[in-house]
Amino acid sequence: MNKEFIKRRKNLMRMMGEDAIAILPAATVKTRNRDVEHDYRQDSDFLYVTGFEEPEAVAVLIPGRGHGQYILFSRERNEEMETWHGRRAGQQGALERYDADDAFPISDIDEILPGLLEQRQRVFYTMGISDEFDQRVLAWLKQLRDNSRSGTQAPHELISLDYFLHEMRLFKSPKEIKLMKTAAKASVNAHQRALQSCKPGLYEYQVEAELLYEFKQAGCATAYPSIVGGGANGCILHYTENNEALQDGDLLLIDAGAEYQGYASDITRTFPVNGTFSDAQRALYDLVLEAQLAAIDAVQPGNHWDQPHIEAVKVLTKGMVKLGILKGRPAQLIKEGAYRKYYMHRTGHWLGLDVHDVGDYKIDDQWRIFEPGMVLTVEPGIYIPEGSRGVPKCYWNTGIRIEDDVRVTKDGNEVLTQALVKSSEDIEALMATSVA
Ligand code: GLY
Ligand code: MN
Ligand code: MN
């Protein structure tokens, strides 16, 4: 991967132009409770540019600088600290393993960084992620301005780094796709295991445990908190308590994805707790699947971002009229947005280092056109809570979503999560088997 990081930094510096400097801080460590910290997750922008996974680090890019264009500030080696808290690359590691041109202890940054800023006109930095680091950047700039009477040149412009960097991140390289496929495979195995393990009486967290088992077996983290919602809980879009018993006759909605080397996958499957769909559940399920397949078909280079959503809404609205859930003419119901009562989210999002990945959805107020290398989710659903007036009772307490990860290719698309069963028949067949 080293070559790929070098290429990214080179591309980014080319876009920034001469006379510029970029500052990227690592994510901070966050306290969970008292002496316990949350699992550390590197900032995605920082990771994309450096591949460096330690906290307390700052990457600086200075295009065209003779003494080195890539400077990494990081923690110093320290035998005692490393004995207690784990290994550090140190400055030598930064140079040798992470290809920094120059490396300094993070404790020296206040002395060194103002000097680097002084020679540059434009500062690329993304404000608003860390208040504390924002204040430090502003303090360095102020220090230079305050010294301007002694001939110091302060940069004139502060520019958000997002624009260039997130545009780069939107297009996944073959190496990134390979990592995303590894994450996808772990998620497929996890959902398969959950389908095979599920039975009435289990608690939602017990099914979650099956997911985590497969994630960890594959060396993955969880990309986001897993949603394991039985019956009515499937109608709560961000349900994560996962603490209720699964009931015979209910559906179970699982939205869970593994993260591999920083890259996320994001899969949802919905299936009957007892292994067999009721007629009403099957009718709704088959409808959501029809919508998902139509939406995936619309992921083609040249189509725009909203086309999968438009296709999903068409199929869902027509189907809901047929099942007596909505009343009226589909075209009119779509115009009025009547479907939103039971389908209230959009059909997908970009996927990459972040599960809701970066990248613009519109350009100049027009939906973005799909291009090869983009990766997105396709995830229509229907959610009918208890007491939904005018809806036949057999559909109440039913939440269904089907979500896959899709890459735009030169002449169509590739579903990265294709290996996971999806039709109601295939789901039932898999549920009739046990974990290998
Ligand atoms: N798992 C988050 C989402 O589907 O967007
Ligand atoms: Mn998603
Ligand atoms: Mn999801």
Side-chain angles (χ1 to χ4, degrees):
M1 276 298 276
N2 273 29
K3 275 204 193 117
E4 176 128 346
F5 290 112
I6 292 170
K7 201 164 102 194
R8 289 176 193 169
R9 290 191 290 269
K10 220 166 124 187
N11 286 343
L12 189 57
M13 284 194 274
R14 190 177 333 109
M15 291 190 252
M16 287 160 55
E18 297 282 319
D19 262 346
I21 180 168
I23 305 172
L24 290 106
T28 50
V29 174
K30 299 194 175 62
T31 302
R32 182 174 180 275
N33 58 311
R34 203 165 162 85
D35 288 344
V36 180
E37 292 158 356
H38 281 287
D39 286 348
Y40 183 71
R41 168 56 159 75
Q42 188 54 277
D43 175 82
S44 297
D45 282 344
F46 184 90
L47 189 61
Y48 183 81
V49 168
T50 66
F52 193 69
E53 300 210 60
E54 291 181 26
E56 295 180 72
V58 175
V60 180
L61 301 178
I62 314 181
R65 178 173 175 265
H67 303 302
Q69 309 190 89
Y70 170 36
I71 299 165
L72 190 57
F73 293 89
S74 67
R75 302 178 303 186
E76 279 182 278
R77 300 289 314 265
N78 177 316
E79 203 178 318
E80 193 191 346
M81 291 300 278
E82 290 184 55
T83 300
W84 282 88
H85 303 294
R87 296 187 179 91
R88 300 173 169 193
Q91 282 59 63
Q92 202 177 334
L95 298 172
E96 289 171 4
R97 304 212 310 270
Y98 295 93
D99 303 299
D101 298 319
D102 244 339
F104 299 105
I106 187 73
S107 50
D108 292 350
I109 195 166
D110 285 327
E111 278 149 57
I112 296 170
L113 200 58
L116 299 173
L117 286 168
E118 190 189 335
Q119 298 142 33
R120 298 280 144 169
Q121 299 280 327
R122 287 168 299 130
V123 180
F124 284 84
Y125 171 71
T126 306
M127 283 276 183
I129 296 188
S130 158
D131 282 347
E132 195 193 326
F133 202 82
D134 288 355
Q135 292 312 314
R136 293 183 73 182
V137 171
L138 294 175
W140 292 323
L141 291 170
K142 183 171 182 313
Q143 185 184 330
L144 290 175
R145 284 208 190 107
D146 290 349
N147 288 341
S148 62
R149 262 167 306 175
S150 48
T152 309
Q153 283 265 329
H156 296 306
E157 277 179 83
L158 186 59
I159 304 167
S160 177
L161 189 60
D162 288 19
Y163 177 72
F164 290 142
L165 193 52
H166 292 181
E167 193 62 17
M168 282 170 68
R169 278 179 55 190
L170 179 57
F171 295 89
K172 275 69 181 176
S173 70
K175 286 216 169 69
E176 290 181 287
I177 295 295
K178 206 164 155 223
L179 297 175
M180 293 188 78
K181 284 186 173 175
T182 305
K185 175 108 197 301
S187 300
V188 166
N189 289 344
H191 279 261
Q192 248 164 25
R193 194 181 178 89
L195 275 153
Q196 290 177 304
S197 314
C198 182
K199 56 179 189 229
L202 283 184
Y203 278 81
E204 292 163 344
Y205 52 74
Q206 290 179 289
V207 179
E208 184 182 5
E210 303 292 342
L211 301 166
L212 298 177
Y213 175 85
E214 290 292 343
F215 291 174
K216 282 287 176 193
Q217 281 294 338
C220 291
T222 34
Y224 54 90
S226 305
I227 297 168
V228 183
N233 298 337
C235 297
I236 303 169
L237 297 180
H238 293 157
Y239 175 79
T240 52
E241 288 95 334
N242 302 351
N243 60 4
E244 291 196 15
L246 296 171
Q247 307 296 330
D248 200 345
D250 278 354
L251 290 179
L252 175 60
L253 184 153
I254 298 184
D255 183 345
E259 178 183 292
Y260 185 69
Q261 291 189 19
Y263 286 86
S265 54
D266 185 4
I267 300 183
T268 307
R269 287 292 184 271
T270 310
F271 53 90
V273 167
N274 64 16
T276 308
F277 286 94
S278 71
D279 290 345
Q281 288 167 347
R282 192 185 307 275
L284 268 188
Y285 184 88
D286 290 349
L287 174 58
V288 176
L289 182 55
E290 188 191 339
Q292 203 229 15
L293 295 175
I296 291 175
D297 266 351
V299 179
Q300 303 278 345
N303 277 2
H304 65 67
W305 170 261
D306 205 36
Q307 268 163 295
H309 185 63
I310 291 171
E311 293 306 320
V313 162
K314 258 195 235 164
V315 173
L316 291 176
T317 304
K318 239 167 103 180
M320 284 195 276
V321 170
K322 218 160 140 195
L323 296 176
I325 295 166
L326 292 177
K327 286 166 193 73
R329 276 191 19 252
Q332 185 61 25
L333 293 168
I334 291 171
K335 222 162 118 193
E336 291 165 1
Y339 60 88
R340 285 202 199 104
K341 190 151 184 229
Y342 306 114
Y343 178 41
M344 58 295 279
H345 59 78
R346 293 196 48 89
T347 300
H349 49 81
W350 302 128
L351 183 73
L353 281 170
D354 292 308
V355 64
H356 292 175
D357 207 30
V358 295
D360 287 334
Y361 291 97
K362 280 188 172 178
I363 293 181
D364 295 334
D365 224 27
Q366 300 289 318
W367 291 113
R368 180 145 207 160
I369 304 294
F370 288 126
E371 293 176 60
M374 295 171 166
V375 180
L376 60 143
T377 66
V378 178
E379 50 178 306
I382 291 184
Y383 313 89
I384 303 182
E386 169 142 3
S388 295
R389 283 209 306 192
V391 178
K393 265 195 178 164
C394 59
Y395 299 125
W396 288 10
N397 286 327
T398 308
I400 297 170
R401 178 164 65 254
I402 307 173
E403 174 173 30
D404 282 296
D405 303 344
V406 183
R407 168 172 84 100
V408 184
T409 61
K410 209 155 55 55
D411 40 25
N413 67 60
E414 178 189 13
V415 179
L416 305 180
T417 45
Q418 185 71 35
L420 184 59
V421 290
K422 196 152 67 169
S423 72
S424 45
E425 300 79 30
D426 288 350
I427 284 177
E428 288 177 341
L430 180 68
M431 290 187 78
T433 65
S434 38
V435 176

